Amino acid sequence: MTTLAIDIGGTKLAAALVDDALNLLDRRELPTPASQTPDALRAALRTLVAPLFPRADRVAIASTGMIRDGMLLAINPQNLGGLLNFPLTETLAAITGLPTLAVNDAQAAAWAEFHALGGDYRDMVFLTVSTGVGGGVVLDGKLVCGSGGLAGHLGHTLADPDGPMCGCGRRGCVEAIASGRGIAAAAQGELAGCDAKAIFLRAGEGNEQAAQLIHRSAQALARLIADVKAITDCQCVVVGGSVGLAKGYLEQVETYLAQEPAAYQVRLQPAHYRHDAGLLGAALLAQGD
Ligand code: ADP
Ligand code: BMX
Ligand code: ZN
């Protein structure tokens, strides 16, 4: 069977065909429309999948947002250009005429990364540092999605009660500080208006403010990881997303985590499937694996 896997992020949409051996074929990307209208997202998804779905048997979606009964419900609508909810499975089933399932992007990625770890681990947590900060939790070999899809939304735990407002309505969430959006929002002066990618480039050129913004993100993530260890006693934390996978970032997180007490230390590693963890995790879930 061939699965059309789709990954809907706050910055980019990705799609590919995935065979039963998890080979990824014909991967494509489009920017996520920065519009509050469901029509803009529907049109972008139609364009993305048009060349792919005629060769697929089913559709598997990994999407930003809480996924409940096939609906996308934003926790942080700012990450989706203000879009609050979207009928995800209904839309893709209508476009493709294929059976369709949907799951949160970080939950999907956690599942793929858990598989990649092999049989040695039972408890692991995946964190994406991307447009937002997402999380997926596997406990005793099972992906935990929660009764309403909220489980693992670790980016919305508290990093700093005096920190910036988060788009979810709380103040000082990890996401408001550590995410790509959070990094960019704190930039001032010569860096005001830069996105996280540009800030990483400037840090690489020796810009002090850029380096500080990245340190602040890495420190918030390390504190989150210590909390995650305390909550789950997981054996491994896997980090993905374009910020999480950026050169030097995970090393900084490791340095901050090493400053925490020994009980909160946990093995950290970058996502084995890099930027494709969400796509492959959704495909695995569709396969029933
Ligand atoms: P999505 O959130 O759509 O899944 P990404 O994982 O690519 O997408 O995350 C997007 C965020 O990552 C943006 O804030 C962007 O500025 C930042 N980003 C993209 N590429 C890089 C890079 N090479 N280094 C650091 N940050 C990056
Ligand atoms: C936000 C939230 C999560 C998501 C995470 C990472 C929305 C729209 N998204 O915390 O559901 O998993 O961002 O998403 O509320 P990404 O777009 O950064 O990949
Ligand atoms: Zn929040």
Side-chain angles (χ1 to χ4, degrees):
M1 294 262 263
T2 300
T3 305
L4 166 57
I6 302 169
D7 188 346
I8 300 175
T11 299
K12 63 181 197 289
L13 310 174
L17 295 172
V18 180
D19 69 16
D20 287 335
L22 281 196
N23 295 304
L24 217 130
L25 316 162
D26 213 350
R27 190 186 192 285
R28 287 150 194 259
E29 267 187 29
L30 280 180
T32 307
S35 149
Q36 298 186 13
T37 69
D39 284 348
L41 182 55
R42 197 175 284 118
L45 288 168
R46 197 179 288 120
T47 305
L48 181 73
V49 304
L52 300 175
F53 80 80
R55 285 172 282 158
D57 303 299
R58 60 189 168 207
V59 179
I61 310 163
S63 175
T64 190
M66 187 167 62
I67 310 302
R68 186 182 294 165
D69 299 329
M71 286 288 294
L72 186 178
L73 307 166
I75 293 292
N76 184 352
Q78 286 175 8
N79 288 2
L80 266 177
L83 192 61
L84 258 176
N85 56 56
F86 183 78
L88 198 51
T89 52
E90 187 188 302
T91 300
L92 267 301
I95 293 172
T96 64
L98 296 170
T100 302
L101 74 73
V103 63
N104 168 267
D105 54 357
Q107 292 169 350
W111 194 234
E113 293 297 324
F114 175 69
H115 272 248
L117 287 171
D120 296 344
Y121 297 85
R122 297 299 293 163
D123 307 303
M124 64 82 74
V125 173
F126 173 83
L127 292 170
T128 173
V129 190
S130 34
T131 311
V133 172
V137 178
V138 176
L139 291 181
D140 200 21
K142 294 191 184 70
L143 179 65
V144 184
C145 293
S147 55
L150 183 63
H153 274 77
L154 298 162
H156 302 284
T157 56
L158 188 65
D160 177 1
D162 302 317
M165 276 306 289
C166 179
C168 75
R170 288 189 94 185
R171 180 177 292 284
C173 288
V174 174
E175 177 161 303
I177 293 168
S179 68
R181 282 275 176 102
I183 293 170
Q188 293 177 348
E190 53 172 352
L191 296 185
C194 289
D195 65 10
K197 185 174 181 178
I199 290 168
F200 271 82
L201 280 172
R202 297 298 298 274
E205 293 161 5
N207 182 286
E208 190 53 35
Q209 186 198 161
Q212 282 309 318
L213 290 169
I214 295 164
H215 274 285
R216 176 172 163 268
S217 162
Q219 185 172 37
L221 202 78
R223 288 176 173 154
L224 170 62
I225 290 167
D227 289 354
V228 159
K229 175 68 180 173
I231 296 164
T232 65
D233 195 16
C234 58
Q235 297 146 298
C236 178
V237 172
V238 176
V239 178
S242 289
V243 172
L245 294 169
K247 193 165 169 283
Y249 182 80
L250 199 56
E251 288 79 358
Q252 285 190 31
V253 175
E254 254 163 355
T255 303
Y256 282 114
L257 183 61
Q259 295 168 16
E260 298 280 347
Y264 309 125
Q265 302 298 320
V266 59
R267 186 188 169 127
L268 278 189
Q269 53 190 69
H272 172 82
Y273 291 121
R274 309 293 297 175
H275 301 275
D276 295 329
L279 288 173
L280 292 171
L284 270 170
L285 288 164
Q287 288 174 16
D289 290 335

